[in-house]
Amino acid sequence: RPALLVVGFTKDSQKQTEAWAKRLHASVPSLEVWSLADLEDAPRLVRPMIRSAMRSATPKGEQARFLVLAKGGKALRAALNYDSRPPHNDDAWLVLVDAAGNIIHSCVFVAHDVVFTKNGASLAAPWILQRLRETRAGQHESRRGQERT
């Protein structure tokens, strides 16, 4: 079953990722939403303390859908073309994955309901600013087109 990952790569992305996860849980209850924090670059010695702090800050009802990534973060950042330079490094990423875990689409939170997203799979397709609901509608259309071929 497809799922949406709300991904943060830095501590400062926490506010954005929390807000997106809550908004998505409330507005699309049928969508499987997972919060994901990348700790691969954190020193191993402090990872347990970070996990504990994250667990205590996460409401009990959301803990079952919260993943901490200790390995594979570099591969995920590469797949998303993550820019680790300020001011982009603290952005929240929304990543749609299929049932097998393959990335179908990703976009970056900009403000309120606006995301920075790739307008199509082609390398020549431009990046655009778009409302999240329009991005979701485009993904539904894209999947219908794939089913027809």
Side-chain angles (χ1 to χ4, degrees), residues 26-94:
S27 64
V28 193
S30 61
L31 182 63
E32 203 166 312
V33 178
W34 292 80
S35 295
L36 191 143
D38 175 21
L39 296 184
E40 186 172 28
D41 287 344
R44 287 179 190 237
L45 183 63
V46 297
R47 285 182 193 169
M49 291 180 279
I50 295 170
R51 282 191 188 120
S52 177
M54 291 166 87
R55 190 176 305 116
S56 64
T58 304
K60 294 265 188 223
E62 296 173 25
Q63 288 181 1
R65 297 240 181 237
F66 192 92
L67 301 171
V68 176
L69 197 62
K71 290 183 179 180
K74 288 181 179 141
L76 180 60
R77 289 190 296 268
L80 297 175
N81 291 320
Y82 170 72
D83 186 352
S84 62
R85 298 170 296 177
H88 310 290
N89 59 331
D90 296 330
D91 293 337
W93 283 78
L94 305 178

Side-chain angles (χ1 to χ4, degrees), residues 6-141:
V6 182
V7 184
F9 292 105
T10 66
K11 181 181 184 339
D12 291 335
S13 66
Q14 180 179 0
K15 287 181 184 176
Q16 287 185 25
T17 57
E18 285 176 358
W20 269 108
K22 285 178 185 175
R23 184 180 301 134
L24 290 164
H25 281 293
S27 64
V28 193
S30 61
L31 182 63
E32 203 166 312
V33 178
W34 292 80
S35 295
L36 191 143
D38 175 21
L39 296 184
E40 186 172 28
D41 287 344
R44 287 179 190 237
L45 183 63
V46 297
R47 285 182 193 169
M49 291 180 279
I50 295 170
R51 282 191 188 120
S52 177
M54 291 166 87
R55 190 176 305 116
S56 64
T58 304
K60 294 265 188 223
E62 296 173 25
Q63 288 181 1
R65 297 240 181 237
F66 192 92
L67 301 171
V68 176
L69 197 62
K71 290 183 179 180
K74 288 181 179 141
L76 180 60
R77 289 190 296 268
L80 297 175
N81 291 320
Y82 170 72
D83 186 352
S84 62
R85 298 170 296 177
H88 310 290
N89 59 331
D90 296 330
D91 293 337
W93 283 78
L94 305 178
V95 182
L96 185 63
V97 296
D98 63 16
N102 300 310
I103 296 174
I104 297 170
H105 188 80
S106 65
C107 54
V108 181
F109 166 80
V110 175
H112 186 59
D113 186 36
V114 178
V115 294
F116 188 55
T117 184
K118 186 106 166 87
N119 189 20
S122 165
L123 290 174
W127 283 83
I128 59 171
L129 292 173
Q130 189 174 52
R131 295 203 177 274
L132 181 62
R133 69 179 171 272
E134 295 165 355
T135 303
R136 284 195 314 243
Q139 287 305 309
H140 291 302
E141 289 299 316

